[in-house]
Amino acid sequence: MGSPVLRIKNIGKVTAFYERLGLQISKKYQNENGDVLFELGFRHGTDHTDTMQPLVILLQDPNASYASGHSAGLFHFAILVPDRKSLASTYLAFRDSGVEYDGFADHLVSESLYLRDPENNGIEVYHDRPNKEWPRDSQGHIMMDTLPLNLDALVSEELTKEELDNPKVFPNGAKIGHIHLRVTNLKRSVKFYHEKLGLDITVDWSSMGAAFLSAGGYHHHIALNTWNTLNGNAHTNVEAGLEYFTIKTHNRSYLNTIRSIIYDSITPKQQKKQSRREEEEVNNMNQILIKDPDGIQILIKSE
């Protein structure tokens, strides 16, 4: 998964929030549409050769409208830290900086912290338990749950007294682990991500209005739910919130297959409605910009 791009109405307030999380503005630039974007990340390594890696990108739009809670869009983007100790340190560092948490959870395969930025974009920070510890049913399917997270055990088991007194945010780096989306029709969205994008259905909570999909045996790269959006409104890109999220692949043939599946089915009338940006993405052999059934944009890149 690559950096999500968020359309932000109050850029100053939101960048200040992410800076409290330990991120820094590494790059500011204009895209071909004249939009101003801010890349936020943190440094990897300790010497002068390290590079700032973007974790999230903010697109400034003071004219954006706020979406209804019944609209499709971002539920949260999830920041994956490499180990449990990193999660414990990050939890304390966030707390000490005055960040308010939305909640905490033990998902069996992972342990998670939840919070929101000032424009209500959900954020999960989590670590994965080792794959061999993921519980599975009798057929070998991954099992997940949402249980209380024992924060006292998290910090006491992982950190020394010195680390407790001086916790660091993302001490060993982090990356985007998955994206969780609000959708309006679960069955339709699962079909799109499974049949058109080729992701495997790993956990089926359809009876509870959710589903999880992934590639390569991971517990999930994409999560979908209709908890507040069943039969709601499609996502539009004039609203504050998710502009698009990114899927990265090293397999050029996968990208070409997606290109064929998506664009070979577009009618001439639909083609005329494509924005200039979408046309440019279609013609770029290294990436393609598509939309899911709720209008959520996905940039698929071959690297």
Side-chain angles (χ1 to χ4, degrees), residues 213-262:
L213 303 96
S214 80
Y218 192 54
H219 52 74
H220 69 291
H221 290 109
I222 305 289
L224 311 166
N225 81 66
T226 56
W227 295 329
N228 294 303
T229 52
L230 181 63
N231 299 322
N233 303 317
H235 178 71
T236 67
N237 287 93
V238 298
E239 298 172 338
L242 184 64
E243 178 73 2
Y244 64 85
F245 69 93
T246 303
I247 296 174
K248 298 187 290 186
T249 177
H250 296 293
N251 187 343
R252 175 64 69 83
S253 64
Y254 170 75
L255 182 66
N256 292 336
T257 298
I258 297 301
R259 192 189 307 276
S260 176
I261 291 172
I262 298 296

Side-chain angles (χ1 to χ4, degrees), residues 187-202 212-214 222 224 254 258 261:
K187 183 177 180 180
R188 181 181 66 181
S189 291
V190 168
K191 183 176 182 180
F192 172 85
Y193 285 96
H194 177 52
E195 295 184 3
K196 291 191 180 296
L197 297 195
L199 299 179
D200 299 318
I201 302 168
T202 53
F212 303 82
L213 303 96
S214 80
I222 305 289
L224 311 166
Y254 170 75
I258 297 301
I261 291 172

Side-chain angles (χ1 to χ4, degrees), residues 125-151:
V125 181
Y126 75 110
H127 87 95
D128 282 330
R129 288 192 168 97
N131 181 286
K132 63 183 180 181
E133 295 180 12
W134 296 354
R136 297 176 183 271
D137 64 19
S138 59
Q139 296 179 313
H141 300 140
I142 296 169
M143 298 174 63
M144 293 173 59
D145 205 336
T146 300
L147 305 174
L149 176 60
N150 188 332
L151 291 167

